[in-house]
Every structure is written in C-alpha cells, then in structure tokens.
Amino acid sequence: MAHRRGRAGIGALKKKGETSKFTKKAEEIKTTSLKSAMETVKQLEIKLTKFAKAHHKTIAKDPAFRHKFLSMCAPLGVDPLTTKKSFWSFLQMGDFYHELAVKVAEVCFAYRSRNGGIMSIKEVQSVLLRRGTKFRLNEVVTNYSADDIVVAIGKLKQLGSGFRTVKVGGTQMILSVPTELDNDHVQVIQLAQNAGGGITLNSVSDMIGWEDDRVKRAMDLLLSEGMAWIDRYEGLEYYWFPSVWKDSFVM
C-alpha cells in the first residue's frame, strides 16, 4: 500500500510540474499579446493624429465627417474633446462641444416648464437655428448636426447634470431632469407620438393590451413631471405630450 502511495505521489508531482510549466507559458503568451496590443494601439493613435492634422478643416466644417472621425477614436479610448493641454488641442473640438452643450442646456431649461424636461433633438436644433446661434470659442465650426448634440449631451451627462438622451420610436429625445423613465413611460410617449401627440387611457390599453392600473401608473408620473398635459373634452380625458406634439411641426 505504501508503495502505491509513493507512485501516486510521484505522478502528482509530475502533473504539478507540468501544470506549472503550462501556467508559466500561458503568462508569457499573455504578456506578449498585451505588449503587442498596446503597441498596435499606440501606432493607431499616431496614425489617427496624422489623419486629424491632415483633415482638421473638414472635421471642423463637416458634421458627418466629424461624427465618423469621433467614431474612429472611440474604440481606441481616444478623446479629442479633452482639455487645451491635450495634443488634440489643434482641433479645438473640446471648446466647440463645451459651448454647444451650454447652448443646448439653455434651450432645454427655457422650455422645461412647457414640456417637463423632455425635448426632441430636432426641436432643439430648430430653436438654435431661429436664435441664429453662433460659437464664440470656436469660429471654425459653422455647422453642427444631431450627432454633435448627442456628443455634447454626453459631456453634460459626465458631470452628473441629469442630462441624457433617450430614443422614443425613431426620435432622439433629450431629458434634462433626473426623473428615471422606464420602458412603460417611453412606450406611452411613443404611442402619443404615433397618434400625433395625444392619447387616452383607453386607447393605450386597446393598442398594447395593458391593464388599466399599469397605464395609470405610467401616465401619473408623466403628468406629475409635466411631460404630459391633461385635457377633458366631452367626458373624455386626453393626455397631450408637448415634446412629441411640437416635434411633429418641426421641419
């Protein structure tokens, strides 16, 4: 019996030694792969910088090109919108998005009492256009898109300001209040959008088959936040949503 235990012990030691070798080799491969990946990222960053310097005028003037450029940066964790001390400062994009974020926030605050803090990006763009918005910090940028506004809102979100974007159907909306909207709230707003801005409790129940209590809970929060208005007509209660009702008139 002792002889058998000895053989088993030797086998175990051999296996342990082999496992140790495999572990060591795996660590070596992991280290090599990490170094290779870091070197690849570094080279890509260099190429990205050269690209930005060569095309900085197009990046500044063309919103679609600018969006594609930022999409190229994102997977590498590169942020061209950082401080002026950054090696990306020649783009001056940080200044542009900072000022755009401020102007978008001003519009959202001005209209909050009317829409409860939810407003479509299209409507925000329309208001900025009517105001003849100019950018003092970056005079090179003369045009901006909905994608630029989404990026600007992302910068506000990082500050914990309550600003964020939410998609309602095919419309991108800006929320400027800390209220959390769940899927029920978003779906109710989408139904109102599809109906031209107004719905009833019964129409919601009929369209998506919810129980009355579920519809009422969703609607009560939207009413309390001012995102919906109630209008009584011929014994019926209509719920109107200024954010999607006004959006349908924005060209």
Side-chain angles (χ1 to χ4, degrees):
M1 295 296 290
H3 179 67
R4 289 180 180 177
R5 282 197 298 271
R7 287 175 63 84
I10 291 171
L13 287 173
K14 286 183 177 180
K15 286 182 179 180
K16 186 176 180 181
E18 291 173 356
T19 301
S20 179
K21 288 180 182 178
F22 284 132
T23 302
K24 186 177 180 181
K25 190 63 177 177
E27 288 297 326
E28 290 176 358
I29 293 173
K30 184 178 178 181
T31 301
T32 302
S33 299
L34 181 60
K35 287 181 179 178
S36 177
M38 290 176 66
E39 184 61 31
T40 300
V41 170
K42 186 176 179 181
Q43 291 301 319
L44 287 172
E45 286 183 357
I46 292 172
K47 290 181 179 179
L48 200 57
T49 305
K50 290 180 179 178
F51 178 87
K53 287 181 177 178
H55 300 282
H56 69 278
K57 290 184 179 179
T58 309
I59 291 171
K61 293 182 179 179
D62 187 340
F65 192 87
R66 182 163 59 244
H67 177 63
K68 289 180 180 178
F69 172 69
L70 293 179
S71 298
M72 289 165 57
C73 295
L76 299 176
V78 174
D79 186 2
L81 315 182
T82 48
T83 64
K84 293 181 180 180
K85 296 180 181 179
S86 165
F87 63 93
W88 293 97
S89 59
F90 64 89
L91 285 175
Q92 294 184 305
M93 297 310 298
D95 289 341
F96 161 64
Y97 281 110
H98 170 77
E99 190 166 3
L100 179 59
V102 171
K103 292 184 181 301
V104 169
E106 287 174 351
V107 172
C108 291
F109 287 143
Y111 283 77
R112 184 182 285 179
S113 62
R114 306 182 192 181
N115 55 36
I118 182 169
M119 192 172 183
S120 74
I121 286 180
K122 188 188 296 185
E123 188 180 357
V124 171
Q125 280 183 293
S126 178
V127 173
L128 290 175
L129 183 63
R130 290 199 303 270
R131 289 182 175 183
T133 301
K134 303 291 183 182
F135 295 96
R136 296 188 304 275
L137 297 177
N138 190 336
E139 297 178 357
V140 178
V141 179
T142 56
N143 196 11
Y144 54 91
S145 66
D147 290 322
D148 287 325
I149 291 178
V150 171
V151 173
I153 291 299
K155 295 302 166 187
L156 287 174
K157 183 179 178 181
Q158 291 176 7
L159 299 176
S161 59
F163 277 83
R164 60 206 184 280
T165 57
V166 60
K167 200 160 188 179
V168 177
T171 303
Q172 197 84 333
M173 312 289 286
I174 299 172
L175 273 172
S176 60
V177 289
T179 305
E180 289 296 330
L181 299 184
D182 61 24
N183 290 334
D184 283 6
H185 303 126
V186 172
Q187 196 165 351
V188 166
I189 296 173
Q190 185 177 346
L191 290 174
Q193 182 184 51
N194 295 339
I199 51 176
T200 65
L201 296 179
N202 288 337
S203 65
V204 174
S205 298
D206 292 342
M207 284 187 281
I208 51 182
W210 287 358
E211 295 292 332
D212 292 345
D213 286 347
R214 183 177 178 182
V215 179
K216 191 73 164 55
R217 278 197 305 272
M219 205 69 80
D220 283 348
L221 180 134
L222 296 169
L223 276 174
S224 66
E225 293 295 330
M227 296 179 187
W229 299 346
I230 190 168
D231 180 33
R232 294 174 177 83
Y233 178 71
E234 294 186 351
L236 288 177
E237 292 183 340
Y238 289 89
Y239 295 82
W240 295 94
F241 293 77
S243 56
V244 296
W245 174 60
K246 290 180 180 179
D247 183 52
S248 63
F249 292 93
V250 177
M251 302 303 290

